[in-house]
Amino acid sequence: MTHGTQVLDQMRPPYPAEPGAGVYSSKLGMWVFLASDVMFFTALIGSYIVLRFGAPGEWAKPGAVLNVPLTAVNTFLLICSSVSMVKAYAAIQDGKKYFLRPVPGKLLRDGGLKFWLLVTMICGAAFVSVQVVEYIKLVGHGFTPAGFREGSLLAEHAAADPIKYGVTVAGLYGSSFFTMTGFHGFHVTCGVISMTYLYFTKVLPEKYSPQDYRGIEVIGLYWHFVDLVWIILFTIVYLI
Amino acid sequence: MRWWLPDAGSTFAGPIDTMFLVILIITGIALVLVEVGVVTFVIRYRARPGRKAFYTHGSTRAEVIWTAIPAVTMVALGLVSNHYWVLIKDKKSVPPNAYHIGVHAKQFEWQITYPGPDGKLGTSDDFTVRNQLHVPVNEPVAAELSSEDVIHSFFVPEWRLKQDAVPGMHIIAWFQATKTGEFELGCAELCGMGHYKMRARVFVHTPEEFKAWLTQQATGGGGGGGSE
Amino acid sequence: MSFWRKYIFSTDHKIIGIQFLFVSLFFLLVGGLLAMQIRWQLGFPGKPMPGGGILPESMASGGVILPEYYVQLVSMHGTFMVFFAIMPLLVGVYANFLIPLKLGAHDMAFPRINMASFWLALLAGLIMTASFFVPNGPIRSGWTNYAPLAARPDLSGVTVGQMLWCISIVVLGLSSVMGSLNYITTVINHRAPGMTWFRMPLSVWALFITAILGVLALPVLQGAAIMLLFDNVLGTHFFDPVAGGQALLWQHLFWFFGHPEVYILILPAMGMVSDIIANGSRKPIFGYHSMVFAIIGIAFLGWIVWGHHMFMSGMNPTLGSTFMVSTLLIAVPSAVKVFNWLGTMWRGNLHFHVPMLNAIGFVSMFTIGGLSGIFMAATPVDIPIHDTQFIVAHIHYVLFGGSLFALFAAIPYWYPKMFGRMMHEGIGKLHFGLTFLFYNLTFFPMHIIGMGGQMRRIYDPTIYDFLKPQQPLNVFISYAAFALFAVQALFLFNFLWSLKFGKKAPQNPWNDNGMEWSLSNPAPHGNWERTPNVYRGPYEFSSPEAGDKDFLPQFMKLPTDRDPVPAPVPAAGH
């Protein structure tokens, strides 16, 4: 595939080497890093599964404590950001380094790398912002990592309907919710910061080209991973 | 000065000590082979003027032999070990006629609950003693382990008995003492700064002595014995 | 390049390796000082320790070590030795220093990330050290830090110290992952032409496999440490049974990391020992392919044995049976390696330079450590010896008798490449002999004390009647340990003195075959000006092709050799 070999040609080192993985080093490095991140989330999510299914009481019913519709919108935002990431990657593969270019005969403009990566960053930042707001609201309502805060509105509701709110294991519920989603949010934040850095140091000065767009591909891999983890988290934390 | 395992004091000690000895012999042979090999080679093949090393990259036959022999040995060891492991630790191995006592570990003492005259644990005539474990000889006893706070471990060396007491878990460790006398119980899992002094005195009684002790506790003797 | 860029904030893998060396040797010393205090208390319980007066009253009242301080000593001795001494000495130093050199590469794949990995490791070490100086001091729950004790400040008595331990571990994990990224990518993508997979020295194979273990295992510990931190400060309940959490969850997470970790602590040692024994024997390594597969086998099996640390934990006995099987099996590839080292020495022409002496010491001591593991693997036999000094003996035979002797071999071996000078041979030989003697006198009797039933981490064995008869052995061990520690002054002196006054090193002082010996001593920045070619395997000692020499380096081109063809579509990039 032409695009692939073009990338590989640029990866030709200033010195010869034995055939390795067949991918350039930054990409290989990102795959290795993602493997480590899989293990990290496995520890958190695996613990959640063990704790939930070994719990002495019933877990809270979906939607009782958490705001599923709001988070569904947030999930959509993150998925959109993955789509825009793919569009950004495709754009630079085609050499579209620009922001927006008018298309003759069409109302809609053609987006280049600068446009699509910015969309990705904005969607990512929006996701984190919504999550921060969600956290503030949850804690205000009474949901903390330690469980349902005494005297809070949530505690009152929970006392009235202990089964629905999973009162007996509220501590576990809070512990696992905030830890898993919190570290995911941290990963999204790191991704947005990295993209911002690349945007100002490499994208705006048009340093990427169809011959060398490694940074975009590598950050794209990371971004898709973070999105995938969210799909899993959203399902097992919010929906089940 | 002790140079070996403590005196055998339970039915587990026989198989465990035998296995220990067997493993010692097997590993001892392996150790002697390796160390004698090292010493022999160090002397015999030391560099001297005019000598040259024998150029070889190895021997597949040697690899097969010294992979197969350890592998077969380990598998055999595993089968024998598992047999006794199940006998000692499996829930189904607890003898149905075992005398149940409650052992509740906490920082830093052992609270041992005995079924009272009705012989049933968990009834109103149970009584609890601190840091004193009394059991009859030659009768199976089932210690129902629990913990108040952190992980402790119930360890009586002469009985070759060790089982962690874990908060949130109810674990049964059964045993049958074979020697009367006074022994000691220590905690074998770091449980805080008082871990070292979580010691209990262990008394293995003849059946008559045990009955007498039980009666004495249930009537006048009441409540805690001393701790140490 | 300014002094700062050249020696402090350097991206040169060799400088980074040397930075790790100095910092880790310092932490090794700290770990040793902690051990001396432990041995004082165990040998002479309740007696004031010489020099104990400098310790604050909260640790040692009138110079007598307090029980709280004792459990802190054992906890931090383990923590410092495992995380800040042995692991960085084996991996941080030698993965960094050796991998590009032995592969014919100019540097690591990601030099700046590599630099960050050192500074993060140093930061983690400083955070851990700081825990000694906070209210209530460092952790008291053992280097294994079991919950619920570690999760409940009200039960452990430790607050800030526990937080610092968790944070330090998370930072160290990050450092480790960053290092592993480099090691793995460099080995896969940056081998010089002709350096095929099965021409890599065993040291590189071992470091490569170790890096894979690290990148997959450390994140699990990070996750566990974060959960433990949250239990301590945020009021979460992961490990708190009262609120539905599980005490055993910590053990599963910790040991799922912990067992691969101990293979991280031994595999690089094994790899380097292989290189050194082949060199000292002037013979190819016996069974090179078997050795590679043994490394891979140990690493693979290492993921499925973690439960053998938990035989007495209350986990389902059937689970115990499965872990017993995998644990017994992992003895096999280790045994294969020992036999192959013997096979290498067999019919060799043995030169007993200091690295070779220590490497042979490694083989004999690691054998003892490995064999003692079989007692614990057999689950019924583990019952009397679990959590006793028998385990402590095993740990120290593999970590000291194993890893540390391997380091005593590796450090003088690659010293000329690092510093351009040789360490003093005479002092090295004396150090080896005395260390070997006092080391065995210190740790072998621990097997006996453990058999007798002395539990781990107890402040005063003499309060137990059944342990009193063994106390003379405790005293003996303590004296031997003091002597062992004192003898290390020889190594420390030799290491530091030789930096300035050591004999200037010839280019290839050991007549070795590795790629690194084609460079001057110390090796220059960027290593080779032009990428070298590799013409053969790593252990062609006494090869008939070598003529009257008894070695034939990988980089030496014979008239009959053809230049290797580099990959048509080279994938190695930056």
Side-chain angles (χ1 to χ4, degrees):
Chain A
M1 188 196 80
T2 36
H3 279 143
T5 38
Q6 274 187 303
V7 172
L8 285 175
D9 280 342
Q10 169 54 38
M11 301 328 123
R12 185 184 205 89
Y15 50 89
E18 278 286 305
V23 292
Y24 56 91
S25 288
S26 338
K27 190 156 148 182
L28 177 58
M30 179 51 79
W31 279 115
V32 174
F33 174 72
L34 291 180
S36 81
D37 235 359
V38 165
M39 294 309 288
F40 177 72
F41 279 107
T42 301
L44 295 186
I45 297 177
S47 298
Y48 162 77
I49 293 173
V50 163
L51 288 173
R52 177 161 177 178
F53 291 103
E58 275 290 310
W59 215 249
K61 299 277 174 279
V65 180
L66 303 171
N67 189 338
V68 179
L70 177 66
T71 320
V73 168
N74 223 14
T75 307
F76 176 70
L77 255 178
L78 201 62
I79 296 177
C80 283
S81 76
S82 260
V83 172
S84 62
M85 185 72 234
V86 173
K87 303 270 309 168
Y89 177 73
I92 191 59
Q93 276 187 320
D94 289 332
K96 299 179 184 172
K97 303 185 194 182
Y98 47 80
F99 189 78
L100 283 177
R101 197 162 280 185
V103 179
K106 291 232 163 124
L107 218 63
L108 227 49
R109 292 181 179 198
D110 185 41
L113 174 64
K114 289 179 189 167
F115 174 72
W116 286 115
L117 194 60
L118 188 64
V119 170
T120 310
M121 286 151 58
I122 290 174
C123 286
F127 176 90
V128 177
S129 311
V130 170
Q131 192 175 28
V132 169
V133 169
E134 183 201 11
Y135 272 24
I136 294 174
K137 285 182 130 174
L138 284 169
V139 174
H141 194 52
F143 186 45
T144 68
F148 302 153
R149 188 175 54 243
E150 256 187 57
S152 66
L153 206 59
L154 178 61
E156 266 182 56
H157 293 159
D161 193 348
I163 305 286
K164 177 175 170 203
Y165 286 86
V167 165
T168 47
V169 288
L172 285 184
Y173 189 56
S175 306
S176 47
F177 171 77
F178 281 101
T179 310
M180 290 192 293
T181 59
F183 272 96
H184 175 266
F186 171 71
H187 277 76
V188 176
T189 308
C190 288
V192 172
I193 293 174
S194 307
M195 279 183 199
T196 309
Y197 173 77
L198 285 181
Y199 197 75
F200 286 104
T201 55
K202 294 283 231 339
V203 174
L204 283 183
E206 297 192 4
K207 293 242 176 90
Y208 289 123
S209 69
Q211 287 74 40
D212 184 6
Y213 51 88
R214 282 172 289 165
I216 302 296
E217 185 169 19
V218 162
I219 198 74
L221 278 174
Y222 176 81
W223 197 250
H224 296 311
F225 168 76
V226 159
D227 194 11
L228 180 64
V229 170
W230 179 250
I231 307 289
I232 297 172
L233 279 185
F234 181 62
T235 311
I236 64 177
V237 172
Y238 288 84
L239 296 183
I240 300 184
Chain B
M1 178 64 224
R2 276 213 75 88
W3 296 98
W4 195 248
L5 296 161
D7 292 331
S10 82
T11 52
F12 295 154
I16 288 177
D17 290 7
T18 309
M19 280 197 66
F20 188 94
L21 195 59
V22 166
I23 295 175
L24 185 61
I25 293 172
I26 296 174
T27 54
I29 293 173
L31 183 66
V32 165
L33 271 171
V34 170
E35 306 296 2
V36 166
V38 171
V39 173
T40 313
F41 293 173
V42 157
I43 298 173
R44 211 160 142 209
Y45 301 116
R46 69 194 189 280
R48 273 152 284 160
R51 275 195 83 243
K52 242 200 159 199
F54 173 55
Y55 178 74
T56 173
H57 282 102
S59 151
T60 314
R61 200 166 68 121
E63 303 290 344
V64 169
I65 294 175
W66 62 43
T67 308
I69 295 181
V72 167
T73 315
M74 292 300 111
V75 170
L77 197 53
L79 289 169
V80 175
S81 297
N82 196 53
H83 172 76
Y84 290 108
W85 176 247
V86 170
L87 224 71
I88 296 171
K89 290 285 185 181
D90 199 79
K91 245 200 267 224
K92 296 193 262 296
S93 300
V94 180
N97 63 329
Y99 182 76
H100 283 246
I101 56 176
V103 177
H104 187 67
K106 70 185 284 272
Q107 284 182 330
F108 297 103
E109 63 182 27
W110 299 94
Q111 292 173 352
I112 306 185
T113 304
Y114 298 85
D118 72 349
K120 273 217 279 283
L121 199 60
T123 54
S124 55
D125 63 352
D126 294 354
F127 61 93
T128 303
V129 177
R130 278 171 63 226
N131 291 326
Q132 274 192 36
L133 176 60
H134 294 257
V135 298
V137 74
N138 293 328
E139 272 183 51
V141 176
E144 301 194 7
L145 298 171
S146 55
S147 169
E148 176 84 13
D149 36 37
V150 299
I151 301 179
H152 302 271
S153 195
F154 184 73
F155 176 42
V156 180
E158 282 82 358
W159 296 344
R160 312 291 186 266
L161 179 67
K162 185 179 287 128
Q163 177 55 54
D164 285 4
V166 182
M169 288 175 77
H170 181 84
I171 303 166
I172 300 189
W174 81 272
F175 58 93
Q176 180 166 321
T178 51
K179 281 212 173 68
T180 55
E182 186 177 335
F183 307 97
E184 283 164 301
L185 163 68
C187 178
E189 184 58 60
L190 178 59
C191 53
M193 61 182 238
H195 167 60
Y196 74 102
K197 53 183 170 151
M198 215 165 131
R199 172 185 178 267
R201 297 170 71 192
V202 178
F203 300 93
V204 183
H205 299 286
T206 61
E208 304 77 38
E209 284 172 1
F210 187 65
K211 244 204 287 269
W213 179 80
L214 275 180
T215 326
Q216 182 216 17
Q217 290 297 313
T219 54
S227 67
E228 212 150 2
Chain C
M1 234 197 276
S2 75
F3 171 83
W4 289 97
R5 278 287 281 144
K6 201 165 172 198
Y7 292 113
I8 310 296
F9 294 106
S10 171
T11 56
D12 185 327
H13 70 100
K14 301 185 292 300
I15 303 294
I16 294 171
I18 294 173
Q19 288 175 318
F20 266 110
L21 184 58
F22 280 101
V23 171
S24 308
L25 283 177
F26 170 74
F27 281 119
L28 185 67
L29 183 63
V30 168
L33 285 168
L34 297 173
M36 289 302 100
Q37 296 173 70
I38 297 170
R39 280 319 318 174
W40 175 266
Q41 173 57 26
L42 280 180
F44 314 102
K47 299 244 167 41
M49 185 172 65
I54 60 166
L55 291 170
E57 281 297 298
S58 56
M59 290 179 176
S61 174
V64 178
I65 294 174
L66 293 174
E68 307 87 295
Y69 183 50
Y70 181 77
V71 288
Q72 289 172 320
L73 283 170
V74 298
S75 307
M76 296 309 277
H77 167 75
T79 299
F80 273 117
M81 287 305 208
V82 169
F83 292 114
F84 298 101
I86 301 294
M87 187 164 84
L89 278 171
L90 286 172
V91 181
V93 178
Y94 289 102
N96 269 308
F97 194 80
L98 293 180
I99 289 178
L101 282 178
K102 280 189 166 288
L103 295 179
H106 297 282
D107 205 307
M108 288 285 188
F110 314 114
R112 280 170 303 175
I113 294 182
N114 208 21
M115 178 175 78
S117 123
F118 167 71
W119 289 103
L120 282 176
L122 178 61
L123 177 65
L126 292 173
I127 294 174
M128 193 59 85
T129 310
S131 68
F132 268 103
F133 300 100
V134 299
N136 293 332
I139 57 165
R140 294 179 184 174
S141 10
W143 83 278
T144 48
N145 224 6
Y146 277 12
L149 180 65
R152 296 270 303 269
D154 56 322
L155 296 176
S156 67
V158 179
T159 46
V160 184
Q162 185 66 252
M163 285 166 52
L164 291 178
W165 189 93
C166 294
I167 294 170
S168 167
I169 291 296
V170 172
V171 173
L172 186 71
L174 214 54
S175 158
S176 210
V177 167
M178 286 174 147
S180 291
L181 277 181
N182 264 300
Y183 314 146
I184 294 171
T185 309
T186 308
V187 168
I188 293 178
N189 265 3
H190 292 247
R191 287 168 287 125
M195 180 61 77
T196 57
W197 283 97
F198 285 109
R199 279 181 178 175
M200 293 197 319
L202 287 172
S203 49
V204 178
W205 265 112
L207 289 163
F208 173 63
I209 300 293
T210 299
I212 296 176
L213 286 180
V215 98
L216 298 175
L218 265 305
V220 176
L221 180 65
Q222 290 177 298
I226 285 167
M227 289 190 267
L228 185 63
L229 178 66
F230 286 359
D231 266 21
N232 266 279
V233 302
L234 281 185
T236 53
H237 302 280
F238 293 105
F239 309 116
D240 179 9
V242 171
Q246 292 179 29
L248 289 191
L249 178 62
W250 169 264
Q251 289 184 51
H252 280 294
L253 287 169
F254 183 85
W255 288 117
F256 185 77
F257 146 79
H259 201 85
E261 167 71 6
V262 311
Y263 290 114
I264 291 174
L265 298 173
I266 197 67
L267 286 176
M270 291 175 158
M272 294 193 289
V273 157
S274 291
D275 284 8
I276 293 170
I277 289 190
N279 176 285
S281 307
R282 316 311 293 162
K283 261 185 84 198
I285 251 288
F286 196 93
Y288 170 84
H289 286 84
S290 295
M291 290 296 248
V292 173
F293 295 129
I295 293 174
I296 295 174
I298 292 171
F300 175 75
L301 283 172
W303 288 103
I304 54 173
V305 298
W306 84 87
H308 69 225
H309 301 271
M310 297 169 62
F311 283 148
M312 305 300 133
S313 67
M315 76 175 174
N316 190 328
T318 313
L319 214 47
S321 300
T322 59
F323 282 118
M324 173 186 65
V325 171
S326 50
T327 305
L328 285 170
L329 285 179
I330 208 168
V332 177
S334 306
V336 165
K337 292 189 82 70
V338 170
F339 296 136
N340 275 298
W341 286 315
L342 288 178
T344 308
M345 289 169 65
W346 168 74
R347 295 186 69 182
N349 197 29
L350 308 181
H351 292 256
F352 299 112
H353 46 60
V354 169
M356 179 65 163
L357 286 173
N358 281 287
I360 297 175
F362 168 94
V363 174
S364 22
M365 297 300 101
F366 173 76
T367 301
I368 297 180
L371 289 173
S372 67
I374 295 178
F375 290 83
M376 307 148 209
T379 38
V381 178
D382 188 46
I383 298 175
I385 60 180
H386 173 76
D387 229 277
T388 64
Q389 294 287 99
F390 195 96
I391 308 292
V392 178
H394 166 75
I395 295 173
H396 287 89
Y397 262 88
V398 285
L399 279 178
F400 192 137
S403 310
L404 197 51
F405 269 100
L407 284 165
F408 288 146
I411 291 175
Y413 198 73
W414 281 290
Y415 194 93
K417 202 97 238 126
M418 286 182 176
F419 304 112
R421 292 180 187 267
M422 306 295 289
M423 282 177 75
H424 191 278
E425 185 83 357
I427 299 179
K429 288 195 162 124
L430 184 62
H431 168 257
F432 166 73
L434 291 175
T435 300
F436 190 82
L437 172 68
F438 289 120
Y439 158 80
N440 279 293
L441 291 179
T442 306
F443 293 106
F444 198 84
M446 284 186 192
H447 291 104
I448 298 170
I449 295 193
M451 280 162 63
Q454 180 169 329
M455 299 82 82
R456 286 177 75 172
R457 302 155 169 171
I458 55 171
Y459 169 73
D460 183 356
T462 61
I463 75 162
Y464 292 89
D465 292 336
F466 76 95
L467 293 180
K468 283 204 183 81
Q470 290 181 152
Q471 189 58 16
L473 211 44
N474 260 321
V475 177
F476 176 81
I477 291 174
S478 292
Y479 281 128
F482 299 150
L484 178 64
F485 184 75
V487 163
Q488 301 319 303
L490 286 170
F491 180 81
L492 191 61
F493 171 78
N494 196 356
F495 182 82
L496 293 173
W497 179 88
S498 305
L499 287 173
K500 223 28 221 280
F501 301 108
K503 198 170 62 171
K504 272 228 186 309
Q507 180 158 327
N508 192 353
W510 312 110
N511 287 338
D512 192 52
N513 292 328
M515 296 299 293
E516 71 269 32
W517 303 107
S518 69
L519 297 170
S520 57
N521 291 333
H525 185 62
N527 302 342
W528 292 269
E529 272 179 32
R530 291 184 67 229
T531 305
N533 282 326
V534 181
Y535 296 100
R536 62 187 57 78
Y539 300 118
E540 294 305 295
F541 294 101
S542 302
S543 160
E545 287 191 322
D548 56 350
K549 286 217 167 70
D550 66 353
F551 68 107
L552 188 51
Q554 293 190 271
F555 53 83
M556 178 84 65
K557 184 175 181 183
L558 294 176
T560 45
D561 285 325
R562 271 208 314 257
D563 279 337
V565 180
V569 186
H574 268 276

